[in-house]
Amino acid sequence: PYTTLFRSRFGEIGEARNKETGQHVKRVAEYSRLLAQKYGLSDEDSQLVFVASPMHDIGKVSIPDRVLLKPGKLDEEEFEIMKTHAEIGAKVLSGSKRKIIEASAIIASQHHEKYNGKGYPKGLKGDQIHIFGRIVAIADVFDALGSDRPYKKAWELEKILELFHKERGEHFDPLLTDIFLNNFADFIDIRDQYSDEIEEI
């Protein structure tokens, strides 16, 4: 079906450029659906965020390799270039009336916004950020912190938990953060089910 193809193929384009695994988009999708369900979204919306969330980083296809693949911390200029992937992704996905494309555009644009208004690209705050964007923000950061990247090693679970407690109501929606923390074992189960090691076998 169209939605399966969309999620499993198009969602991996940005990850392929970023030298990340296809498992990353699968984990983000599963985390996002679980958060949506626990938050109380309808089955339709929970499935929609599941199918659309893999497109969150599609804008990275336009980021130069010297920035995207840099094996160290980005300087200020490089970070400003990297930040443009959110708006680029939204533009790539704009103009369609299909629900899945509209949801993907929202997620691409808003998954780096912060609950306190200090995110990007628009500095949206609180409920100004669509619920899909607030959900994927948690899912994406959790997976990024727990994964090896060219510029860092995976964090220990204790350190990840500390960050989410610290960023509750700052980076992340406080209610969604509570749901995430109260169901943390379920998220770990998903992480283990879709581990990078399994993909490499």
Side-chain angles (χ1 to χ4, degrees), residues 5-196:
L5 176 64
F6 186 91
R7 180 173 66 87
S8 64
R9 295 289 181 244
F10 290 92
E12 293 177 12
I13 295 172
E15 307 311 319
R17 280 245 21 245
N18 203 25
K19 304 300 184 186
E20 294 170 2
T21 71
Q23 298 298 82
H24 169 66
V25 294
K26 292 175 184 176
R27 289 190 298 264
V28 169
E30 293 287 350
Y31 299 149
S32 296
R33 177 165 59 183
L34 179 58
L35 268 176
Q37 291 170 337
K38 296 291 186 181
Y39 183 79
L41 294 188
S42 66
D43 290 343
E44 180 183 359
D45 281 345
S46 297
Q47 183 65 15
L48 186 58
V49 72
F50 171 71
V51 176
S53 61
M55 297 295 282
H56 64 280
D57 276 342
I58 191 62
K60 286 183 177 179
V61 297
S62 295
I63 303 300
D65 284 351
R66 67 178 178 84
V67 174
L68 191 66
L69 306 180
K70 183 178 179 180
K73 186 176 180 179
L74 302 180
D75 62 29
E76 186 174 345
E77 178 190 3
E78 291 165 339
F79 185 55
E80 289 301 316
I81 293 171
M82 179 65 84
K83 285 164 61 176
T84 64
H85 83 272
E87 289 187 297
I88 290 168
K91 288 177 182 177
V92 166
L93 295 163
S94 66
S96 173
K97 296 187 181 300
R98 297 187 75 126
K99 281 188 176 181
I100 184 174
I101 307 295
E102 290 180 338
S104 298
I106 289 168
I107 290 168
S109 174
Q110 297 186 11
H111 72 287
H112 284 295
E113 298 287 1
K114 294 185 178 182
Y115 198 77
N116 62 10
K118 296 180 180 179
Y120 66 87
K122 295 183 178 179
L124 302 179
K125 184 176 182 179
D127 291 345
Q128 292 177 337
I129 308 166
H130 194 283
I131 185 60
F132 290 172
R134 284 179 273 152
I135 285 172
V136 176
I138 290 177
D140 186 39
V141 170
F142 173 57
D143 197 68
L145 293 178
S147 303
D148 287 334
R149 295 288 172 88
Y151 51 87
K152 72 165 189 66
K153 298 297 290 181
W155 287 23
E156 297 293 332
L157 286 180
E158 183 177 350
K159 187 177 179 183
I160 293 174
L161 285 169
E162 287 177 1
L163 180 134
F164 275 94
H165 280 290
K166 178 183 176 182
E167 293 296 330
R168 180 188 182 277
E170 295 296 326
H171 188 153
F172 308 113
D173 179 310
L175 177 55
L176 283 170
T177 305
D178 290 343
I179 292 169
F180 170 72
L181 294 172
N182 291 336
N183 295 275
F184 194 65
D186 294 332
F187 290 90
I188 295 301
D189 287 343
I190 291 171
R191 189 185 74 166
D192 292 344
Q193 183 179 354
Y194 295 97
S195 70
D196 295 336

